[in-house]
Amino acid sequence: MTFVVGITGGIGSGKTTVANLFAEKGIDIVDADIIAREVVAPGSEGLRAIIAKFGNEVLSADGTLNRAVLRERIFSNPDDKLWLNSLLHPMIREQMIAQTQQTTSTYCLLVIPLLVENKLNALCQRVLVVDVREETQIARTTRRDDVSEQQVRNILASQATRAQRLSVADDVILNEGDSAALNKDVELLHRRYLAMATQSIESDNEQ
Ligand code: ADP
């Protein structure tokens, strides 16, 4: 069984930056956001079920899912939101398991922005939280994206709190330093994960 390190953190905390540093070390990355798009891609079972439920008006002209229209539909109808989540969450979960098990590096990284919100820590042997102060999240996100401070604050309010995330963390990277500091933290964790993964492979073989 593949040793899976789940990585999470709020918006702008640095998940993608940290995941890229692990990838540079040859670690395979599985991304929950990509999977969430794949399960509703044109031709998918997920998209077929959504069209059957909501009709063609949830499609864009190019045949892809129009997320804005779908969001509008479920926003005003909690039953529809529940229906959609119970359709997609098991598919996403199944794909996360399948794709992590297909990786070939000594361990793999599973990037799940909403790990805490969706209680997905059971999919991982280890949970790594990228932690920063809210002010840092706001500063970095407004610099990265075309969004206002208030928009970022609204997203922060809809996500888990720092304390909630830290309560499920096995490991924490405090991403308040420069890139040299971040590199050092990743290098240290990488060595520990290699050791843990190797140990877990050995104990699998003994069984
Ligand atoms: P997330 O994937 O969690 O939303 P990102 O990895 O995209 O976060 O990081 C948010 C922004 O902050 C990006 O523009 C990234 O380049 C920048 N960033 C990440 N870590 C640092 C750091 N230690 N110092 C300065 N900027 C950083």
Side-chain angles (χ1 to χ4, degrees), residues 17 21 25 173-188:
T17 308
L21 292 174
K25 298 182 184 300
I173 289 182
L174 182 61
N175 186 20
E176 293 286 355
D178 59 12
S179 68
L182 197 59
N183 263 302
K184 214 169 122 195
D185 286 346
V186 169
E187 175 62 33
L188 214 67

Side-chain angles (χ1 to χ4, degrees), residues 94-178:
E94 195 183 301
Q95 270 303 307
M96 288 197 285
I97 295 169
Q99 292 191 16
T100 53
Q101 295 309 312
Q102 280 159 12
T103 59
T104 54
S105 50
T106 308
Y107 67 91
C108 78
L109 211 62
L110 176 57
V111 184
I112 318 182
L114 300 180
L115 181 142
V116 176
E117 292 82 347
N118 291 330
K119 301 188 177 67
L120 291 166
N121 35 328
L123 297 185
C124 321
Q125 271 67 49
R126 199 89 190 159
V127 174
L128 168 59
V129 169
V130 184
D131 182 47
V132 285
R133 294 176 305 127
E134 288 197 354
E135 295 313 311
T136 306
Q137 282 181 280
I138 293 164
R140 289 183 185 160
T141 306
T142 50
R143 210 176 305 143
R144 183 192 62 187
D145 303 336
D146 185 23
V147 287
S148 68
E149 174 178 337
Q150 191 53 50
Q151 282 170 311
V152 184
R153 285 195 190 278
N154 292 345
I155 294 170
L156 284 183
S158 75
Q159 296 186 337
T161 62
R162 278 180 86 182
Q164 284 169 332
R165 258 185 229 107
L166 292 174
S167 72
V168 303
D170 297 300
D171 305 299
V172 178
I173 289 182
L174 182 61
N175 186 20
E176 293 286 355
D178 59 12

Side-chain angles (χ1 to χ4, degrees), residues 181-200:
L182 197 59
N183 263 302
K184 214 169 122 195
D185 286 346
V186 169
E187 175 62 33
L188 214 67
L189 283 168
H190 175 58
R191 278 192 230 151
R192 281 170 52 195
Y193 293 149
L194 282 177
M196 285 180 199
T198 309
Q199 219 168 39
S200 111

